[in-house]
Amino acid sequence: MVRRPSGQHGRAFAVTGSTNKGCEVSWFSALCDDDYEFLGVPDPKLKSSWEHCRDIVLQAESGGFDNILLPSGYALGIDTTAFAAAIATMVKRIRLLMAVRIGESWPPQLARQIATIDRILGGRLTVNIISSDLPGETLASAPRYARTLEAMQILKTMLNGEPLDHQGEFWKLKLDAPGVTTVSGKCPPLYFGGLSPDARETAAQGADVYLMWPDKREAVQSIIDDMTARAAKHGRTLKFGYRAHVIVRETEAEARTAADRLLSKLDAAQGEAIRNKSLDTKSTGVAAQAALRENASDDGYAEENLWTGVGRARSGCGAAIVGDPDQVLAKLKMYQDMGIEAFILSGYPHAAEADLFARHVLPKLQHGPLTL
């Protein structure tokens, strides 16, 4: 485990528009068997386990990160909700961004789990909504996202401490106000991502923070503009988050060498097999990541300091910000100027790269927990 003494931890800030340069900076704990020294080469020491994922969270907290994503997948790794409840007793400052898969959930029970974990955590829980299928079943995109929106509406009502009278397509529920509430008495912020038209409409109506995967700057701006307009049609506003890997070293040459080393033992067939194991391999977002990779330069860069090599052995978020501290910082500030207010970063191996980012970049950012 790589840990360092806690230093400058930033401060909470209220987002008031693009002129506010504060941001939430989160790390990632590899609950879904996604940690490597050499991409695509399994390492027993880095396999998802309570001990390994715990150490990543503790490293992120000691490094000064504001939040940490706890991903979820029913086919890989360890259970997210159980892990969140356990790690909540060990952390003192960092928030948890707990991913929940709607296809596996009954919303009233999920609301009670969220409220309970938030209580254990002292009010620092945030939630990443995943529009998943029920294991073994498949819904078409439109009804699956309609179900997700219903679940978000139910969660918001119950976690706001209100009685529920929900007569939807997927759930018909009439329940008293819940006996267990969050510390704030309000629903935690709901983070949500997806590029398909159905996903975008669900986010516009129900999400608080819309998450994006890496893309070229013009594509990122286009998504922000589109989602801002969609939310406005429903009388709402969204905050925007950006999920990316990062490789930072003292010089750009060292960072690029580290990127090359990460891929140095990757077998193409093994990389494809890893991508195909993911449950979202046919999603619009994954297709966009594949297109970004396919249209990159010969050395894998889609634009300056945005490297797509990670996507050769990973479905989903498939690009990394690569460079020296000033280059990485400039890239993040560029996204902030476009309207990004939250970053969810990761790197391989996750604990070691968290330490590098915490030492080289994090102290130069004005950051703190995002408040709505």
Side-chain angles (χ1 to χ4, degrees), residues 34 36 39-40 266 270-272 274-275 309-315:
D34 180 42
Y36 300 96
L39 203 61
L266 178 65
Q270 175 67 8
E272 183 177 4
I274 292 171
R275 294 197 305 272
V310 174
R312 289 176 56 187
R314 192 184 195 280
S315 184

Side-chain angles (χ1 to χ4, degrees), residues 180-351:
V180 179
T181 62
T182 61
V183 171
S184 69
K186 299 294 184 182
C187 181
L190 301 182
Y191 294 58
F192 178 84
L195 277 183
S196 71
D198 295 324
R200 294 187 190 213
E201 278 303 305
T202 297
Q205 296 179 63
D208 298 306
V209 184
Y210 179 78
L211 296 176
M212 287 173 279
W213 284 337
D215 211 326
K216 293 184 177 180
R217 61 172 64 86
E218 58 269 22
V220 173
Q221 188 64 64
S222 176
I223 294 168
I224 291 173
D225 293 343
D226 176 65
M227 291 306 304
T228 299
R230 286 177 186 263
K233 290 179 181 178
H234 298 284
R236 305 185 71 243
T237 59
L238 290 169
K239 311 305 179 190
F240 292 97
Y242 192 81
R243 166 87 180 95
H245 306 284
V246 64
I247 301 174
V248 61
R249 299 293 185 272
E250 291 186 1
T251 68
E252 181 181 16
E254 289 174 321
R256 284 179 170 248
T257 297
D260 292 340
R261 180 180 184 275
L262 185 61
L263 288 184
S264 63
K265 297 184 180 181
L266 178 65
D267 175 81
Q270 175 67 8
E272 183 177 4
I274 292 171
R275 294 197 305 272
N276 290 338
K277 281 198 302 184
S278 175
L279 300 175
D280 60 0
T281 53
K282 297 182 180 179
S283 75
T284 303
V286 169
Q289 293 295 284
L292 183 71
R293 184 173 66 254
E294 290 163 3
N295 293 320
S297 61
D298 290 344
D299 57 0
Y301 286 82
E303 63 182 18
E304 67 275 13
N305 305 111
L306 186 64
W307 179 66
T308 64
V310 174
R312 289 176 56 187
R314 192 184 195 280
S315 184
C317 177
I321 301 168
V322 177
D324 65 35
D326 289 339
Q327 290 172 321
V328 172
L329 183 65
K331 199 76 170 176
L332 296 177
K333 288 188 172 180
M334 179 197 76
Y335 295 131
Q336 284 184 268
D337 288 341
M338 297 167 69
I340 300 296
E341 299 156 302
F343 295 101
I344 302 174
L345 305 173
S346 58
Y348 298 101
H350 291 295

Side-chain angles (χ1 to χ4, degrees), residues 31-80:
L31 273 67
C32 298
D33 290 335
D34 180 42
D35 204 1
Y36 300 96
E37 180 178 359
F38 297 98
L39 203 61
V41 181
D43 185 336
K45 299 188 300 297
L46 301 178
K47 187 175 177 61
S48 293
S49 66
W50 157 249
E51 294 82 5
H52 178 57
C53 297
R54 173 202 63 198
D55 289 351
I56 295 172
V57 175
L58 296 179
Q59 173 62 38
E61 177 165 65
S62 70
F65 289 89
D66 305 308
N67 203 341
I68 185 160
L69 174 59
L70 310 179
S72 177
Y74 63 74
L76 297 169
I78 59 179
D79 181 74
T80 305

Side-chain angles (χ1 to χ4, degrees), residues 126-150:
T126 56
V127 179
N128 177 203
I129 298 289
I130 300 174
S131 184
S132 68
D133 282 312
L134 181 70
E137 298 182 5
T138 302
L139 272 183
S141 175
R144 177 165 53 81
Y145 280 107
R147 180 176 64 186
T148 300
L149 181 58
E150 279 194 34

